[in-house]
Amino acid sequence: MIHTDILEKYAELVLIKGVNVQQDQAVVVSAPIEGATFTRILAEKAYELGAKNVHINWSDDELVRLKYEHASDEVIDDFPSWRVQMMEEFAEDGAAFVSIHATDPDLLKEIDSKRVARASKAAGVAMKTFREYTMNDKVTWSVISIPTEAWAQKIFPDKSADEAVQALWDEIIKMVRIDEEDTIAAWNKHNDVLEKAYKRLNEKQYASLHLTAPGTDIEVGLANNHVWQGGAAVSEKGTVFNPNMPTEEVFTAPHKYRVNGTVSSTKPLNYGGSLIDEFQLTFKDGKVIDYKAKQGEEVLAHLLDSDEGAKRIGEIALVPDESPVSQSGLIFYNTLFDENASCHIALGKAYPTNVEDGAKMDDKQLDEHGVNDSMVHVDFMIGSAQMDIDGVYEDGKREAVFRKGTWAFD
Ligand code: ZN
Ligand code: ZN
């Protein structure tokens, strides 16, 4: 059993450094029903910190699967407008949003991937306005995880459910730094390290990055006036928050029309309860023109087919191989962790905040800067200890950014 003290420490961290909850602010939490104990503690702490209202959107893997098994196509295709309205109303009111990601990676293994694709498309279309609140940092938001049995046992298949959950807790505790005496100070220090890394890249203003590794040789153009970010973000109202916990990446917007070459995945991708593994994508002028996957090729096809923007990329992130998530040697089957173990790129929407003044630009201006738009944003892992990255300047001059999976800068 996980000790209440630890859960309280984690809840405080999420509320203070994660969403940085303010006096009289509403807090909306998306939580798995299995995490009820932690979620109740989170709610109590939020009220103690001044939240005016804490609303929980409960989810249950089992019920999700049952719905896919039994509901008609009509029901699957319909994302209820009341759910959209609820989220938009909270966002308009300036709420803080905590998402607890803990889906069983094999949840939808037996489900027709077409139905899953249609449901995520319906959700993607319906949630467009709400997504702009988070992706433009108009509100504060944070994605975190807690163990659930099915997920933990996927990572630790030889352990009993209880042991697996405990083992996953042990990892999460380390990675979100609640094993440190002063967790807040540890996060401040960590955010400073990431800030130093992205500031250096912002000064460079490379025209593109050239990534090479076994199965990968790709030139990724960077968006005009791109901005590297990492660690803490600042909301429209000026609140400093951490969108992901853990986080080890610095990231920016690629140029949607200037990506050429082939890239290979280095970790499996859990896309909404289905796994895609050992896959390869080939790009020409920013667009995927060829792909293959050893596992989940059909799911990958549906993902790429979500809309026009799903065939282009909206993020490139650098994570050194010595990241604690990478050093754990584990595959988490959960993007929040796996993306922080490895350099990654994301199919789909770019964060407008990754170009200068991007949050104020309209769709046309963003397109002119090379900032991709889509209803999906799906990170997948391409980094390894064999990855080299060159920064290429406008005039073609190049220099080492990464060698053997880590920073080449001194
Ligand atoms: Zn990322
Ligand atoms: Zn991402």
Side-chain angles (χ1 to χ4, degrees):
M1 267 294 280
I2 185 82
H3 211 278
T4 310
D5 290 359
I6 292 287
L7 297 183
E8 286 178 354
K9 205 171 168 186
Y10 192 18
E12 271 173 16
L13 175 69
V14 170
L15 293 162
I16 295 171
K17 295 310 284 183
V19 290
N20 192 356
V21 63
Q22 305 290 302
Q23 194 66 38
D24 293 324
Q25 190 181 23
V27 177
V28 180
V29 185
S30 303
I33 198 88
E34 247 188 279
T37 306
F38 173 70
T39 306
R40 289 186 195 114
I41 292 172
L42 193 69
E44 188 177 2
K45 290 277 168 201
Y47 284 121
E48 281 171 20
L49 287 163
K52 66 174 175 185
N53 180 17
V54 180
H55 176 82
I56 315 293
N57 290 325
W58 294 109
S59 65
D60 179 28
D61 276 358
E62 198 72 4
L63 292 176
V64 169
R65 193 174 43 77
L66 280 172
K67 191 166 184 176
Y68 277 117
E69 279 171 2
H70 298 285
S72 67
D73 283 350
E74 212 170 79
V75 170
I76 292 291
D77 287 349
D78 177 51
F79 191 86
S81 55
W82 57 264
R83 274 179 67 184
V84 178
Q85 210 181 327
M86 179 186 72
M87 293 303 270
E88 288 180 6
E89 268 177 31
F90 273 119
E92 270 162 42
D93 185 44
F97 295 85
V98 178
S99 291
I100 304 176
H101 281 207
T103 313
D104 172 5
D106 291 326
L107 179 69
L108 304 178
K109 211 159 100 182
E110 308 298 329
I111 303 294
D112 178 2
S113 63
K114 243 181 270 137
R115 276 164 74 78
V116 182
R118 284 166 57 174
S120 25
K121 191 164 187 166
V125 171
M127 295 297 273
K128 182 173 167 43
T129 303
F130 176 72
R131 199 164 47 242
E132 270 155 22
Y133 277 98
T134 53
M135 289 193 78
N136 287 309
D137 295 342
K138 286 184 187 169
V139 293
T140 59
W141 54 282
S142 196
V143 181
I144 63 155
S145 281
I146 55 171
T148 52
E149 283 186 6
W151 174 35
Q153 280 197 289
K154 175 78 181 173
I155 307 173
F156 304 104
D158 301 330
K159 292 191 194 301
S160 71
D162 283 353
E163 285 167 1
V165 164
Q166 186 56 54
L168 183 50
W169 263 123
D170 291 345
E171 293 297 332
I172 293 177
I173 285 165
K174 253 188 287 169
M175 282 162 202
V176 299
R177 298 175 163 78
I178 36 180
D179 58 342
E180 305 248 0
E181 177 81 19
D182 188 343
T183 306
I184 305 293
W187 270 87
N188 290 339
K189 200 172 133 207
H190 181 52
N191 281 335
D192 287 347
V193 170
L194 292 169
E195 183 178 331
K196 201 177 148 214
Y198 73 67
K199 278 192 164 159
R200 182 193 285 244
L201 290 166
N202 281 335
E203 280 163 24
K204 301 277 187 189
Q205 282 297 307
Y206 295 122
S208 65
L209 297 177
H210 183 198
L211 287 65
T212 49
T216 292
D217 187 350
I218 192 168
E219 180 113 17
V220 178
L222 300 180
N224 306 346
N225 299 332
H226 63 271
V227 176
W228 287 88
Q229 293 179 310
V234 185
S235 77
E236 203 177 65
K237 282 191 186 140
T239 309
V240 180
F241 68 104
N242 267 276
N244 285 342
M245 296 182 134
T247 186
E248 301 289 337
E249 61 174 332
V250 294
F251 63 100
T252 195
H255 196 291
K256 64 187 279 194
Y257 300 116
R258 294 200 292 109
V259 180
N260 287 288
T262 295
V263 67
S264 294
S265 68
T266 50
K267 281 178 195 290
L269 165 62
N270 174 6
Y271 179 51
S274 309
L275 280 183
I276 312 172
D277 200 8
E278 292 188 50
F279 57 104
Q280 200 171 56
L281 302 169
T282 300
F283 292 82
K284 189 172 186 302
D285 298 331
K287 195 171 169 179
V288 174
I289 52 160
D290 198 16
Y291 65 90
K292 61 180 180 194
K294 210 164 203 178
Q295 187 189 341
E297 191 172 273
E298 207 182 321
V299 182
L300 177 60
H302 290 309
L303 165 58
L304 291 167
D305 248 3
S306 308
D307 58 17
E308 264 313 295
K311 296 175 195 69
R312 299 180 185 273
I313 60 172
E315 177 185 336
I316 176 153
L318 306 185
V319 180
D321 195 52
E322 63 265 26
S323 121
V325 189
S326 175
Q327 290 307 312
S328 76
L330 295 166
I331 295 173
F332 287 91
Y333 306 94
N334 178 317
T335 298
L336 178 63
F337 292 89
D338 291 326
E339 74 167 334
N340 285 303
S342 166
C343 291
H344 55 273
I345 54 183
L347 288 166
K349 187 173 170 63
Y351 291 95
T353 48
N354 277 137
V355 290
E356 248 172 79
D357 294 324
K360 293 180 211 132
M361 288 181 190
D362 60 24
D363 290 351
K364 191 167 166 277
Q365 288 170 305
L366 287 168
D367 182 73
E368 282 164 4
H369 282 75
V371 178
N372 195 30
D373 191 20
S374 169
M375 64 182 153
V376 299
H377 175 98
V378 181
D379 299 276
F380 65 97
M381 285 47 85
I382 60 171
S384 67
Q386 284 115 61
M387 177 160 272
D388 289 344
I389 303 175
D390 279 359
V392 186
Y393 290 99
E394 200 70 64
D395 62 3
K397 210 176 80 194
R398 48 171 67 216
E399 66 189 15
V401 176
F402 257 51
R403 283 296 175 263
K404 291 194 169 26
T406 194
W407 294 106
F409 300 134
D410 32 75

